[in-house]
Amino acid sequence: MAHYHRCGEIPPKRHTQFRDADGGLYYEELMGEEGFSSDSSLLYHRHVPSALLDARVWQLPEQATSPNLPLIPRHLRLHDLDGADTWRQHDAVTGRRLLLGNADVRILYAVVGAASPCYRNAVGDECVFVESGRAVVETVFGDLRVGPGDYVILPRATTHRWVPLSDPGDPSPLRLYVIEGNSHIAPPRRYLSRYGQFLEHAPYCERDLRLPTPPEPAEAAAQAPTEVYVKHRGAGAALVGSVHVTPHHPFDVVGWDGCLYPYVFNVADFEPITGRVHQPPPVHQVFEGHNFVICNFVPRKVDYHPDAVPVPYFHSNVDSDEVMFYVRGDYEARKGSGIGPGSITLHPGGHSHGPQPGAIEASLGVDRFDELAVMVDTFRPLELGEAGRASDDGVYLHSWNGDD
Ligand SMILES: [Fe+2]
């Protein structure tokens, strides 16, 4: 983010002496992207941020993928993955299961009942969409309180942990749809001015972003020593994990400033762009990473030409695989296919897709869609992870038959 922010206590001049009430120096850390050539923040720690007592291997959950072979469109039922009450022991870091992935991005799902350990993704940024439930995401920058419809953007190497919160008014578990990039994840470049301000045509802006509350290092100090789970690169492109044991809790920052930090954007603050005839998916885009984009389809008025066909035309995404996650509402184009909240469809490149039989006629004259879906389009083919294979309904490929 080019949006500058300062939080907590910082000295008036960077790289100068900054002392606590007892005269001790704080430890300044620059967290920056692209080798000192892009966005960064300066954080002021009570303790040396590099200190390590010990390290060991973290055996990651199953990360293997297999090709979408034979090539077919697929319907994954994520809520089938819950498994009785076992989710109550799962946390948002070690409990996430791999649905789909390629060399640029991995899509995972977690149903969460327990607090996670401290965690740092050293491979790329994470975009975590909260399907249901509430949590506090404690970070080295401060806390983020999150709930349904929130996208949580966590820059690469941000130390954080997920703590689920109970909500007496809503017993839904914390369900997280996790998009792990191998790159940075940011608002689309075309939404921003040359210096990074959101432009007037963008469907959201700086006011819609929620930033961390000021850090409270005194609370964290009681929790030392601390384990930090680190996801990183091993041999070749393999993902591996390590656990770092630190002598002091990593959330010991008294203040920070800069343009690199975690933040939250709620999908309800996305202002949909509509037209007389069908608008293409790029108007629904919310974020982008290297070789993938994230779009959302939110409740909205639809096409108002008198002869408009509100559902999409058949389309062949010759350069991408399309992953649609149906969060809530009635998804007009998929009527009759068995798809509902908690479903994912994978529409692979090389196969044309469009509305299910009857959906075109049913949409004529409709002036509003009450649907919420998050879409990831990848520019390289996606493979199936263990949870993708486990939740595949096996029959979606037949769902367009019977209308001719
Ligand atoms: Fe599509």
Side-chain angles (χ1 to χ4, degrees), residues 281 297 312-313 315-317 322 324 331 334 347 353-354 375 377:
F297 296 84
Y313 33 79
H315 47 287
S316 181
N317 304 327
E322 174 197 289
M324 191 78 85
Y331 206 77
R334 300 273 87 83
H347 296 137
H353 67 277
M375 184 177 83
D377 268 13

Side-chain angles (χ1 to χ4, degrees), residues 12 53 64 115 158 186 271 377 387 395:
L53 291 178
T158 299
E271 300 303 329
D377 268 13
V395 298

Side-chain angles (χ1 to χ4, degrees), residues 174-189:
L174 179 64
R175 295 178 178 277
L176 303 176
Y177 185 68
V178 182
I179 302 162
E180 294 183 358
N182 286 352
S183 58
H184 296 304
I185 298 175
R189 193 71 194 87

Side-chain angles (χ1 to χ4, degrees), residues 44-272:
Y44 295 87
H45 294 266
R46 287 178 185 268
H47 304 287
V48 175
S50 311
L52 279 180
L53 291 178
D54 201 1
R56 65 175 191 274
V57 172
W58 168 27
Q59 194 66 47
L60 296 178
E62 177 64 60
Q63 297 293 306
T65 58
S66 56
N68 181 10
L69 186 69
L71 185 75
I72 54 171
R74 296 178 188 268
H75 171 198
L76 314 183
R77 297 173 176 274
L78 304 194
H79 292 183
D80 288 356
L81 297 170
D82 288 7
D85 264 1
T86 54
W87 61 269
R88 293 184 189 281
Q89 286 89 50
H90 295 161
D91 69 65
V93 170
T94 65
R96 54 182 74 167
R97 297 177 62 181
L98 184 62
L99 298 165
L100 300 160
N102 65 17
D104 303 308
V105 62
R106 291 170 302 287
I107 300 173
L108 308 96
Y109 193 62
V111 189
V112 173
S116 81
C118 287
Y119 166 62
R120 183 185 302 144
N121 184 333
V123 178
D125 292 0
E126 294 190 357
C127 171
V128 182
F129 181 80
V130 181
E131 177 190 351
S132 66
R134 297 188 180 277
V136 176
V137 187
E138 299 175 351
T139 85
V140 70
F141 292 87
D143 292 353
L144 298 160
R145 291 181 79 89
V146 303
D150 280 335
Y151 292 99
V152 188
I153 301 292
L154 294 149
R156 181 178 185 171
T158 299
T159 308
H160 66 281
R161 69 190 284 256
W162 284 83
V163 182
L165 297 175
S166 59
D167 180 351
D170 181 4
S172 307
L174 179 64
R175 295 178 178 277
L176 303 176
Y177 185 68
V178 182
I179 302 162
E180 294 183 358
N182 286 352
S183 58
H184 296 304
I185 298 175
R189 193 71 194 87
R190 69 179 188 280
Y191 289 175
L192 306 175
S193 75
R194 62 186 294 202
Y195 296 115
Q197 183 180 7
F198 280 92
L199 294 167
E200 278 295 311
H201 71 78
Y204 62 102
C205 75
E206 289 85 352
R207 294 187 194 183
D208 299 315
L209 308 181
R210 291 171 11 232
L211 274 55
T213 57
E216 296 178 17
E219 280 185 25
Q223 298 170 44
T226 304
E227 292 185 337
V228 181
Y229 285 57
V230 185
K231 186 178 291 175
H232 58 103
R233 285 291 186 205
L239 271 187
V240 292
S242 297
V243 178
H244 287 173
V245 184
T246 63
H248 304 286
H249 197 284
F251 303 159
D252 68 343
V253 168
V254 297
W256 60 272
D257 77 333
C259 295
L260 181 65
Y261 44 79
Y263 62 91
V264 178
F265 171 68
N266 192 279
V267 71
D269 289 319
F270 188 94
E271 300 303 329

